[in-house]
């Protein structure tokens, strides 16, 4: 039987604080979502000025990254390369760049999803959050 790390609330708070700091440093109004390995929401933070729709998109990106065990951009790329049938994949609504899985020892322990600015910037914020816990 394998042992697997899990996100604790202290980890979630560190990730959220670092992601928020990255967004604020760049004057980006975004929503930050953090989920566990099953895609269940652990944290949702909508910064001042972030569009209301971002509070739906960020958790969807995080969910997609956690469930797929890969960045949500992978799915966006597949679709953009012509495999539009992938849009029918069940339970994957956030197939846009900005969802980044949290990987530890080869296992996905959660994900961060960000929405509100350019997709590459969303991913930058998510990665900054994850880096705060040394991953």
């Amino acid at each position: 039987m394998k042992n697997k790390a899990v996100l604790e609330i202290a980890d979630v708070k560190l990730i959220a604080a670092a992601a928020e700091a990255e967004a604020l440093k760049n004057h980006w109004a975004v929503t930050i979502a953090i989920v566990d390995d099953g895609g269940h929401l652990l944290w949702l933070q909508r910064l001042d000025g972030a569009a209301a729709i971002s509070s739906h998109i960020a958790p969807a990106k995080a969910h997609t990254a956690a469930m797929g065990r890969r960045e949500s951009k992978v799915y966006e790329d597949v679709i953009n390369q012509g495999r539009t049938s992938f849009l029918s994949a069940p339970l994957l609504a956030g197939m846009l760049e900005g969802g980044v899985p949290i990987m530890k020892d080869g296992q996905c322990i959660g994900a961060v999803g960000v929405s509100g600015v350019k997709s590459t910037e969303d991913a930058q914020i998510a990665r900054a959050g994850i880096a705060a816990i040394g991953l």
Side-chain angles (χ1 to χ4, degrees), residues 25-115:
K25 175 181 82 173
N26 291 289
H27 307 286
W28 293 333
V30 298
T31 295
I32 301 159
I34 304 170
V35 300
D36 66 12
D37 62 331
H40 304 99
L41 191 61
L42 300 172
W43 187 275
L44 182 68
Q45 181 176 7
R46 187 171 136 201
L47 301 182
D48 292 341
I53 190 70
S54 68
S55 64
H56 293 275
I57 297 171
K61 288 179 178 183
H63 181 267
T64 294
M67 297 298 289
R69 309 313 199 226
R70 59 186 50 105
E71 291 201 25
S72 56
K73 183 182 187 323
V74 170
Y75 301 106
E76 180 178 9
D77 290 344
V78 165
I79 293 162
N80 287 341
Q81 292 168 6
R83 191 166 179 210
T84 56
S85 62
F86 206 82
L87 290 167
S88 66
L91 303 176
L92 297 181
M95 293 186 280
L96 302 165
E97 184 175 8
V100 180
I102 304 168
M103 304 296 291
K104 180 164 176 55
D105 300 326
Q107 299 289 319
C108 180
I109 61 170
V112 179
V114 179
S115 178

